[in-house]
Amino acid sequence: MVTPALLAANAKYDSAFEPVTPTVDQARANILISRQLQFTHFRDQKIDDTLSVEVFDAYLEYLDGQKIYLTQQDINRFESVRANLGSALKTGRLQPGFDIYNTVQQRIIERLDFALELLENGVDQFTFENNEELALDRSEASWEEDRNALDALWVKRIKNAVLAQKLDGSEDEAIEESLTRRYESQRKRAVQMRSEDAFQAYMNAFTGIWDPHTSYFSPRTSENFNINMSLSLEGIGAVLQADNEYTKVVRLVPGGPAAKQGQLKPADRIVSVTQEDEDKPVNVIGWRLDEVVDLIRGPRESTVTLEVIPASASDETLTRSIDITRDKVKLEEQSASSDIINLERGGDTYTIGVINIPTFYADFKAMQAGDPNYKSTTRDVRRLIEELKSDGVDGVVMDLRNNGGGALHEANDMVGLFIDEGPTVQIRNADNDVQVLTDQDPSVVYDGPLVVLVNRMSASASEIFAGAIQDYGRGLVVGSQTFGKGTVQAVRPLNHGQLKITQSKFYRVSGGSTQHKGVMPDIHIPSRIDKTRIGEDALDRALPWDQIEAVPHTRYYDFSSIIDQLRENHDDRFAKSPEFRLLQQEIDLLKEQREITSVSLNEETRKTYQETLQERQLTIANTRRQLKNETPFDTLKELEEWQDQQAADLDGNEERLDFIVREGGHIMADMLELDRRMASIIDPKLITAEARR
């Protein structure tokens, strides 16, 4: 119910929200989307009453996933349409979805008006002596019963925001100004919502029931998608996605400004954006993804400041600011590169070649123009291997950590550098037709021992390469479980916008899919990356893992006879490694923070917790510095200032030859010591009995 007080508040802060209505073009696009989903998506799924309930729940999760705007009374009013959305979506009747959207937008405005009214009375009204707590994640909570209960929740939310800034040293006046600006910005955005926003939200809740990579692009978003694919505008080199009312970083583009700067991380959520010629940040909570992308883009060599909630933060009020200089992502900065490490072991020296591959790339323009010297991953790796061979390396470590994929044919061709010939990956479509990609070149560029390093951010083409190397017994995969992105999408035009739809899945030559499960390493190394937030199996309604028939392929070496000893040697080294102990401490600390379900609104309790957390972070950082014979920091602020300086030094902020790469080299040396036949795996006389199957 809209009260006189609420109307007065609306008039005070801005105009009231005008309900949006669907258009004829949107209705037609809805019908086309429904047909495409039913008849061409990889997942065979009908639009019926069961799916209607799923769409309803997904839509509410999309609009109010934290249950902070709607009440149980609102949900009860929606109940009549809950089982009827399916039939409406098949016939282009969009009004039920728009009615829900309009209600949510009105409730958002009411909540923000409530917050602004509270702040007008000053933050000194709040006390922080009681033992109150605020739940950090309300996605599984019940809806608050009515407006009074929601008011009480919002008082806690605002107290939490005030306390966070208070403990950060801000004065009351600055806190009031900061929070007022935040809520006014969100309110202005809510009032400006338009019909296209409602349609895109509704369609994405609908398409997401099939899988998380199937989505609708409005005409404006389609334009941005095409721009991103052609890399024709400058930006920061980050892949972003909508995450409830936030914009979340999915991954960083190798060689891009954000990756080189080093502070922005996957799963960070963007709170505000500030241009270099502006003093005040623009709060982007609640903004459309395409508008956030537009704001982050800008002229080359200009600086944009992102205020983010770090992925490791236990509280969304704990933010940090990151300055990134915009630029184009240059192909040469994504190129494969090589290094050599020398390992002293019991009087013997091993020379290990390391090839770092940030992405699978190819200069398609030069290729299409017929340039015989066009640049590609496979060509560069071939050259680097020849150089390493001339240096007399004992083995090669391929570093695919954080490689999000790229050109599929490059992964196929690169497998061919290490095998004589044979299949590399299978692709199955919705009709169960299977296409097999093969390496038809019998030549082998490198026939020696091989280790492939992967982590959770190794995805798509990286998983195809690592999986093939593992299936062929051509080398060992070392690291953590990969992302699990094993699906293929196509973008199809509609009368209004575009539909990105999943149409096929990748399968390894051994028959197992890379979807959902990814590639499981032969030797596991823990990672800081939170598997519950990053990875295919962390996404709602991701297509499941399955398998098809294997295709005949050579098995060059059977590691089963030495793998237990390799793992034991690895565990022994890591048990004695100070670097690994520090990594494990960081992982344990991050895990503890992620397991916190609520924060205290008691100032002393909260202060004690933050001081303990900061002390542990500083101890880990200083221990790492002492290992490098560097002077420890006295305070966390000194550490943060040093990190900022390191981030500004774009050429010196990354240690490519870290201890994990060196461990890959040690595993290589173990392989050679346990079985000298490894010196040339691809020798016809050494192929195991199960080689041809």
Side-chain angles (χ1 to χ4, degrees), residues 460-567:
S460 196
S462 293
E463 297 174 289
I464 289 170
F465 177 82
I469 294 299
Q470 195 176 55
D471 288 341
Y472 273 89
R474 186 58 193 82
L476 280 183
V477 177
V478 175
S480 53
Q481 180 184 8
T482 61
F483 192 95
K485 171 68 165 65
T487 56
V488 184
Q489 286 73 40
V491 177
R492 297 181 177 170
L494 304 167
N495 68 302
H496 185 76
Q498 295 174 308
L499 178 67
K500 180 162 70 80
I501 187 168
T502 298
Q503 58 182 15
S504 51
K505 285 174 75 173
F506 290 129
Y507 295 83
R508 293 162 58 157
V509 295
S510 56
S513 177
T514 57
Q515 168 63 16
H516 206 278
K517 185 183 291 187
V519 177
M520 302 301 292
D522 300 295
I523 296 177
H524 181 260
I525 296 178
S527 169
R528 299 179 184 88
I529 299 170
D530 181 5
K531 287 174 56 177
T532 66
R533 297 181 65 183
I534 295 290
E536 190 75 9
D537 55 5
L539 300 174
D540 289 338
R541 301 177 183 86
L543 292 182
W545 180 89
D546 63 345
Q547 57 185 341
I548 58 177
E549 289 187 15
V551 288
H553 60 282
T554 299
R555 180 83 179 170
Y556 291 104
Y557 188 85
D558 181 4
F559 286 94
S560 62
S561 61
I562 63 172
I563 190 64
D564 288 342
Q565 188 62 53
L566 290 174
R567 288 171 180 156

Side-chain angles (χ1 to χ4, degrees), residues 586-596:
E586 285 183 299
I587 292 170
D588 292 343
L589 181 57
L590 289 170
K591 184 179 179 182
E592 285 178 33
Q593 290 177 264
R594 289 193 289 261
E595 289 176 348
I596 294 172

Side-chain angles (χ1 to χ4, degrees), residues 38-58:
Q38 288 184 96
F39 301 120
T40 67
H41 194 281
F42 187 87
R43 172 174 269 161
D44 183 16
Q45 186 167 246
K46 295 179 180 179
I47 300 177
D48 53 19
D49 290 347
T50 300
L51 183 126
S52 177
V53 173
E54 289 186 50
V55 173
F56 177 84
D57 292 341

Side-chain angles (χ1 to χ4, degrees), residues 145-207:
E145 186 59 34
D146 53 28
R147 179 172 293 182
N148 289 335
L150 208 51
D151 284 349
L153 171 64
W154 270 77
V155 169
K156 282 188 176 184
R157 284 172 54 82
I158 295 165
K159 286 181 68 173
N160 182 48
V162 170
L163 180 57
Q165 294 197 29
K166 187 181 179 71
L167 291 175
D168 199 36
S170 297
E171 299 294 333
D172 285 357
E173 186 176 343
I175 296 173
E176 286 176 30
E177 181 183 350
S178 169
L179 294 179
T180 298
R181 187 167 62 240
R182 177 193 300 181
Y183 295 134
E184 284 180 343
S185 174
Q186 288 179 243
R187 190 188 191 286
K188 181 179 180 182
R189 185 58 43 186
V191 168
Q192 292 174 343
M193 290 296 180
R194 54 192 182 174
S195 175
E196 198 58 49
D197 300 316
F199 183 62
Q200 184 161 319
Y202 193 26
M203 287 303 99
N204 278 322
F206 178 39
T207 59

